[in-house]
Amino acid sequence: MDKERIARELIGIVGSDGVATDPGELRVYETDGLTIFKAMPDIVVLPRSAEQVAGVVKVCHRERIPFVARGAGTGLSGGALPVDGGILIGLNRMNRVLDIDYENQRAVVEPGLVNVWLTNALAPRGYYYSPDPASQTACSIGGNVAENSGGPRTPKYGVTTNHVLGLEVVLPDGDIVNFGGRTLDPLGYDLTGIFVGSEGTFGIATKVIVRIMRTPEAVKTLMGVFETIEDASNTVSEIVGQGIVPAAIEMMDNNSIQAVEKGVAAGYPLDAVAVLLVEVDGPKEEVEALVGPIIEVCKANHVREVRVAKDENERLLLWKGRKAAFAAMGQISPEYYVQDSVIPRTKLPPVMKLIGELSQKYGLRVANVFHAGDGNLHPLILYNSANEGELRKAEEMGAEIVKACVEMGGSLTGEHGIGLEKRDFMPLMFNDDDLEAMRKIKKVFDPDGLLNPGKIFPAAMRGGEVGPAGQREALDKVLRRA
Amino acid sequence: MSDLVGADHIVAGPGAARYVVDSKLARAVVFPGSVEEVSTTMAFASAEGLKVVPRGSGTKMALGGIPDRVDLVVVLSRLNGVVDYEPADMTATFRAGSLLKEAQAVLGRNGQFIGLDPPYADLATLGGILATNSSGPRRLRYGASRDLVIAIRVVHADGKVTKGGAKVVKNVTGYDMNKLYIGSLGTLGIIVEATFRLHPMPAVERTCLASLDSVDAARDVVARILDSPLVPFAVELLNPEASRRVAEQAGLPWPKARCGLAVAIGSIRPEAVDAQLETVRRLCREAGAAEGHVLDGQVHDAFWRATRDFALGDGLQVVLKASVLLTKVADAVRVGEEVAAKQGLRLGVVSEAGSGIIRYHLTGEAASDERFRQGVAEAVNRLRAFAQEAEGNVVVLDAPPEVKSRVDVWGLAEKALPFMRRPKAEFDPQRILNPGRFVGGI
Ligand SMILES: Cc1cc2nc3c(=O)[nH]c(=O)nc-3n(C[C@H](O)[C@H](O)[C@H](O)COP(=O)(O)OP(=O)(O)OC[C@H]3O[C@@H](n4cnc5c(N)ncnc54)[C@H](O)[C@@H]3O)c2cc1C
């Protein structure tokens, strides 16, 4: 592409402070939350409105330039990487709350809005936005829509798709369209539903209509300290088996506890093999009634200590530990590589055992900190890339975990997405016909394949490999294992 | 066709009359007994260019536009039963021809259920419920099909069988194909299997049923309930006609000409239910509602069954469904009453006030057939105009073909159509599946 000419045209659309071409400035965009992959865009554009996004996209479409949207860049599957170069459209300047309608329980926001800002805006009136990824102080709602993000509160309240009712989208040809709206059951195909979780490959969301909810009257958080992972896992199953639907059930193993305690001192016992955080919320009487049975289940499963947070400060501190867990890994390892597979909840004990065995086999430590209530694992494989071959080993080990989870009836990813990282694992779950159906829906939105190329579909399906050579090599190695 | 599914499982001629679709008689009705047979049937149909109408129990065959042509009706009822069910994982997979009722019976043994309670829930098949995105009062708490289905298997127009989603409660591997097929009225493929996330059945469920002298009085109470920390699983507003009939079926007395407001609470603990009900009663009292009944046990179940399956008596009937903003529900009921009175129609309204979904049941009373059709057409237009202002829509759920030929049963805005056609063009370019029945004649 004629970079200078295109850049000039883009400046005409978004202004000179909204276009970057200088390699120094572009570097910020060469990776996302998964730092092992890198790819540089040719140009970065920072629009301020849907019309500007549409203007930029029209240029891409006319010139057949590949392009990709980026929110906050916290994604963990390389989703926002411009693997074919081209134009990266950063949405962080479109970060307003456009409308809050308490009576109809809806809010309309721009895609670049940071997740937690919405809840902050709603809190004074006693409302909140439920999906709460651990990255919520940084990640954008547009990124959440693209990844169908989850978070600790999903066992009771569901993931992003259950809370998004409508979208304004700039299609890859520059048309601005509306899907869904503020009311339920829009006519025709559920285009909002299929868009959520499309990982930035269908269009650029420029407006998001979400459901907002009344803040629960009461909330209680319990910490259970366990001597074995098995006891903790059985506790999870039995709580649910009692007919209790906790808002959250999170598990952390000893390596995670070590890191968290060094990082933020959340008050988890350093010698615990596993800690469970269980949160129940709802009307006061309901919450009161649930605490007792949960404690009983913990006791029946040999809990060493069970503590109910006595006030809001203690409760927040327990959660701070969980939410800061990824960041705290720096305390015990220079780097980590996180997997995100899901298993049926009943498979927790065998899969945790397997992860332990793989850790021995590869000689790499693993910290497990995950959404136990819905079987969504997050094994953080600790490595140091300064040690020759260690990253490679971490990736191989990750691949073995993913493969095992799928074989146990699970899924490749519960919330982080396929992106670039796991695209070649897709055939583990889906055959050619399944993938062809997905490809058809991709064609519905992006017939020219310009938007976020190189993601989701296995390399073999794409006709020719893309991306920087080093990255390809890493992927190949993982693949041979898978 | 006999070779494909066996001669015993195919009906043609007079025997097919039971399966007419909007009075169109199919050349044959097939009852495939396996996914493979559905697949070979579709491969045959697309090779021969036959138009196919998939069917479950037939409770919602009146939904949708009049089909362009009906060559084959593919009845899924033989394709039933559990595929897999692990109670501790709270997920279960069923073949699409299973009755919801049968599925609930299997799950109920473990105190679990699928959080769906659409109209005619005792007759409807899972496949039919998903294809029509049918929902009921419990939606407020449990969501609709799109929130409950985690994996799906579909036979495409050309006979290919594909799956989407995964049998785990949380999953983002690939596109969320479930969403595409749910509510698509079988125009993109035939759903042959679905996996659901399950919920525990609350040990105790009770309902406060209050009577109000007008729908307007309900507006304030509903708003206050929704703006409170209460967590009802259903909030239903019924007009006087519907209240009277539902109360009668539940064996309850009902004061004349009063609306009913039902607020249902469930929990694993009775004390938690009663505490919330007390708050509901207080809110109702403050809004001037007459002291409500508290429904429990069999009366409770009978009340909700009657609400869910609400129908007016015999004669010509039309059912409309509106979706509007929560703040517009009471107005939507009122506008319905006005237009029904003007057209001389009898109207029963059941509305999911916490979800913004309203069902209007219309019958002709003494009106001639022609007068009835005319009145319904007027009602649809009036309600659609109202719903559009309330950012929603009105769909004709159930009507005879003579009515359907006069109104657009969907009412999708012209400008949304070109994009809507694209999935159909990719998935069923020959227009084999249900041609003409979906929005915009898709
Ligand atoms: C410490 C940490 C903790 C995390 N915890 C969680 C967690 O608990 N749960 C969870 O689900 N995830 C978690 N994540 C992952 C990540 O935060 C989420 O995937 C998040 O939704 C990404 O948002 P983002 O704005 O950073 O998106 P980006 O990384 O910028 O982009 C992600 C994808 O979205 C696309 N995209 C962005 N904006 C738009 C738009 N407007 N329209 C269309 N496509 C768009 C991009 O093209 C890309 O494919 C965590 C990440 C980190 C680093």
Side-chain angles (χ1 to χ4, degrees), chain B residues 195-208:
Chain B
T195 309
F196 295 84
R197 65 168 297 186
L198 308 174
H199 283 91
M201 207 131 55
V204 190
E205 292 189 344
R206 286 174 192 151
T207 291
C208 169

Side-chain angles (χ1 to χ4, degrees), chain A residues 69 71-76 79 91 111 134-135 140 143-144 146-147 149-150 199-200 203 205 415:
Chain A
T74 68
L76 289 171
L91 293 153
S135 52
S140 73
N144 298 166
E147 302 291 2
S149 300
E199 301 195 19
E415 52 182 23

Side-chain angles (χ1 to χ4, degrees), chain A residues 32-33 68-76 79-80 91 111 132-135 139-140 142-144 146-152 195 199-200 203-206 322 326-327 336 371 378 415-416 452:
Chain A
D32 63 4
V68 53
R70 181 178 172 109
T74 68
L76 289 171
L91 293 153
D132 62 337
S135 52
C139 66
S140 73
N144 298 166
E147 302 291 2
N148 190 14
S149 300
F195 189 96
E199 301 195 19
I204 299 183
T206 47
R322 167 60 187 90
F326 284 20
Y336 67 83
H371 311 304
H378 285 342
E415 52 182 23
H416 296 167
N452 207 0

Side-chain angles (χ1 to χ4, degrees), chain A residues 32-34 67-81 89 91 110-113 132-136 138-152 159-160 168-169 195 198-208 250 322-327 336 340 371 376 378 414-417 419 451-452 455, chain B residues 170 172:
Chain A
D32 63 4
L34 175 66
F67 63 104
V68 53
R70 181 178 172 109
T74 68
L76 289 171
S77 52
L81 294 203
I89 302 176
L91 293 153
E110 289 186 322
L113 181 76
D132 62 337
S135 52
Q136 71 183 147
C139 66
S140 73
I141 302 241
N144 298 166
V145 166
E147 302 291 2
N148 190 14
S149 300
V159 293
T160 301
E168 177 189 80
V169 169
F195 189 96
S198 63
E199 301 195 19
T201 65
F202 282 1
I204 299 183
T206 47
K207 225 181 252 174
V208 186
E250 297 285 314
R322 167 60 187 90
K323 295 218 169 176
F326 284 20
Y336 67 83
D340 169 47
H371 311 304
N376 187 187
H378 285 342
E415 52 182 23
H416 296 167
L451 179 54
N452 207 0
K455 309 295 165 65
Chain B
K170 195 166 166 200
V172 295

